Amino acid sequence: MRNTRALAVAGAAVAALGLSAPAAVAWDTPSNITALPSVIAPGGQLTITVDGCRGGGTATSNAFSPTRLSPVGGGKGNEGDRGGAGNGTARGTAIVNSNARPGSYDITVDCNGRRMTKPHAFTVIGGVRGGIGGSSTTGATPTDMAIGGGLVAAALVGGGVFWMRRRAERRI
């Protein structure tokens, strides 16, 4: 019984070590480019995160100017002062051009001397020009004044008729 438990624990340890080894090798190349939010309006801020980009790099797209990616966490992560690679993640913020057309855009990352492109990384949507709401002309037009005056006159006549009728009922 003891041998079975010891063998199970040893097998679990070897499996955990074996599964973590490929992840450590993957830090050498940029991978997993993430753009948040994935749907954005022109002029918005886009946060770009790249795994496997220890020293930082540059992100480019047709929708924004080249953006510098900086290492996250000071480049040491769990390795402390032992000089390890850290978490190997880089992040940057890009401003989407205000004249970017609606559609899907790619992001290309240059990192650690390697280049990687993520197709359809984010989508620019068309926006509405808000802010003035319908008040693009100043003041009321003559038509608006005529309609408003007619409604006020109808209310006065209707109120007068109602008052006169109630007054006549009291006399009877």
Side-chain angles (χ1 to χ4, degrees):
M1 188 73 157
R2 283 186 181 180
N3 290 339
T4 306
R5 285 184 186 166
L7 185 60
V9 169
V14 169
L17 183 62
L19 291 175
S20 67
V25 173
W27 292 121
D28 292 340
T29 58
S31 63
N32 194 26
I33 299 172
T34 305
L36 293 174
S38 61
V39 177
I40 191 166
Q45 283 189 347
L46 188 68
T47 301
I48 303 162
T49 306
V50 182
D51 292 338
C53 192
R54 286 185 229 174
T58 305
T60 56
S61 176
N62 291 336
F64 56 81
S65 301
T67 301
R68 175 86 177 120
L69 301 174
S70 302
V72 176
K76 291 204 175 181
N78 295 336
E79 301 296 322
D81 292 326
R82 292 177 285 180
N87 60 9
T89 301
R91 184 175 294 141
T93 302
I95 305 294
V96 176
N97 296 334
S98 59
N99 60 353
R101 294 180 183 236
S104 185
Y105 287 90
D106 302 343
I107 294 179
T108 300
V109 174
D110 290 316
C111 187
N112 301 330
R114 297 181 186 238
R115 177 173 244 183
M116 179 181 172
T117 300
K118 180 172 184 180
H120 310 293
F122 65 100
T123 303
V124 175
I125 58 172
V128 295
R129 294 191 181 263
I132 58 173
S135 62
S136 58
T137 60
T138 57
T141 63
T143 306
D144 293 336
M145 294 296 290
I147 292 170
L151 290 173
V152 169
L156 287 174
V157 170
V161 169
F162 179 74
W163 182 69
M164 293 295 285
R165 187 155 189 217
R166 297 286 288 172
R167 188 173 163 206
E169 288 177 1
R170 288 188 193 159
R171 287 188 186 170
I172 299 178

